[in-house]
Amino acid sequence: DADGDLCLRGRRHNRINMAGMKFFAEEVETVIDAHPQVEESRVYGRVHDHLGEIPMAEVVPVDPANPPTSKDLSDLCRRQLATHKVPFRFAIVSELARTSTGKIRRH
């Protein structure tokens, strides 16, 4: 804007605000998706009474019989991301919810 401040508009469902620290879900998904046992992932913010939102993740494994462990995924994220971006929970799912146009459903 005229004051030189950056204002984020739109894409609200992709942005997570944890205790005033904002970040985009795709940044975390890129790290998770790099794990060799992960087909794809979805990161989203779950409402939290004190922190605003906390990051959560759903993960589709390459091999459902041999999914990655939450510890492996958490360790990977901790090595590559700021602490506030590491999902609190990783849920193994068979598929991700999608919109009618095939995009990952964010909310």
Side-chain angles (χ1 to χ4, degrees), residues 16 23-36 38 40-44 55-59 68-91:
I16 298 169
F23 59 98
F24 288 100
E26 291 90 346
E27 178 185 4
V28 183
E29 290 167 356
T30 298
V31 172
I32 296 170
D33 291 352
H35 190 286
V38 173
E40 64 180 342
S41 65
R42 175 178 85 109
V43 173
Y44 61 96
M56 307 292 278
E58 292 180 336
V59 176
T69 67
S70 292
K71 182 179 181 336
D72 287 344
L73 295 171
S74 181
D75 288 349
L76 174 66
C77 288
R78 288 184 194 289
R79 285 192 303 272
Q80 297 185 34
L81 298 167
T83 302
H84 68 279
K85 297 177 183 180
V86 177
F88 277 56
R89 183 172 299 144
F90 296 89

Side-chain angles (χ1 to χ4, degrees), residues 36-51:
Q37 291 175 282
V38 173
E39 179 71 32
E40 64 180 342
S41 65
R42 175 178 85 109
V43 173
Y44 61 96
R46 187 181 82 194
V47 175
H48 186 276
D49 290 340
H50 302 290
L51 298 174

